[in-house]
Amino acid sequence: MSDFLTLSTGQRMPVVGLGTWKSAPGQVKQAVLAALDCGYRHIDCAAAYSNEQEVGEALSLRVGSGKALRREDVFVTSKLWNTKHDPEDVEEACRTSLAHLGLSYLDLYLMHWPMAFQRGKELMPRRDDGSICYSDTHYRDTWAAMESLVDEGLVKAIGLSNFNARQMDDIISTARHAPVVNQVECHPYLSQADLLSHCRSVAVCVTAYSPLGSGDRPWAAPGDRSLLTDPRLAAIAQRYQKTPAQVVLR
């Protein structure tokens, strides 16, 4: 838990973090408390996970003046959701996440996806036929608004999530504050080798989400293999006397 990566801003980001996606209400608070108590120092959140308030309750018990951890000891990431891409919505969205988390700043704020959805209260705005209602807001305009969050001290750094190399270069070409991270799904069944190489070439750190293969993903087809039960991985784990999950994370 003590290993760090140095971002292009000079910040040190803990290599292993606790993701809070799919952490159910009533459970995520205890999960964050347990993680902090056993040495995690990186908590990954998002407005779209709809559990930041409970994550904030856990942080309030462990982080702050007179508590077990100083604020600067914990690296907290959150993400801007697709319905908040309009530049005039970005700061309010960030401040809402900060309020829910009980923090005065975020260490890292990511654009969750490159596509914008129609503004409104629905997480996934849909037409009558079930299709998503997209917005014409371009991610470059959203990025410019996110840069203002850095200027105002609301976030220490900004980054991307689920961006491909072309989209990432598009942002970099006009950025005042360059993206420090691109968070994408990455594991032995989706190695992202070309994207990893490109990110390294432009000093963008890759954060892997679902590194254990997201075995409970709702879109899995019957018969899809599970990463953690792959016999090749089991053989490697046995050779080194580790669990398959430990091998994958390493």
Side-chain angles (χ1 to χ4, degrees), residues 12-88:
R12 297 208 310 161
M13 183 175 74
V15 168
V16 178
L18 177 74
T20 57
W21 179 40
K22 294 189 290 189
S23 288
Q27 298 177 7
V28 66
K29 178 179 177 180
Q30 192 55 47
V32 173
L33 287 172
L36 292 172
D37 290 346
C38 74
Y40 281 77
R41 295 295 178 263
H42 182 175
I43 307 297
D44 181 89
C45 312
Y49 302 165
S50 302
N51 59 11
E52 285 189 323
Q53 198 151 356
E54 197 170 327
V55 173
E57 291 172 9
L59 292 173
S60 71
L61 292 173
R62 294 291 188 272
V63 180
S65 178
K67 297 177 183 173
L69 298 167
R70 301 172 301 169
R71 171 64 185 93
E72 56 267 32
D73 293 332
V74 181
F75 192 101
V76 181
T77 300
S78 188
K79 307 177 191 75
L80 178 77
W81 184 239
N82 306 0
T83 55
K84 304 295 182 181
H85 275 214
D86 191 286
E88 66 184 66

Side-chain angles (χ1 to χ4, degrees), residues 80-93 116-117 119 135 137-138 141-142 145:
L80 178 77
W81 184 239
N82 306 0
T83 55
K84 304 295 182 181
H85 275 214
D86 191 286
E88 66 184 66
D89 294 333
V90 170
E91 182 173 331
E92 180 186 0
F117 291 170
R119 299 169 72 191
S135 161
T137 302
H138 198 283
D141 297 324
T142 306

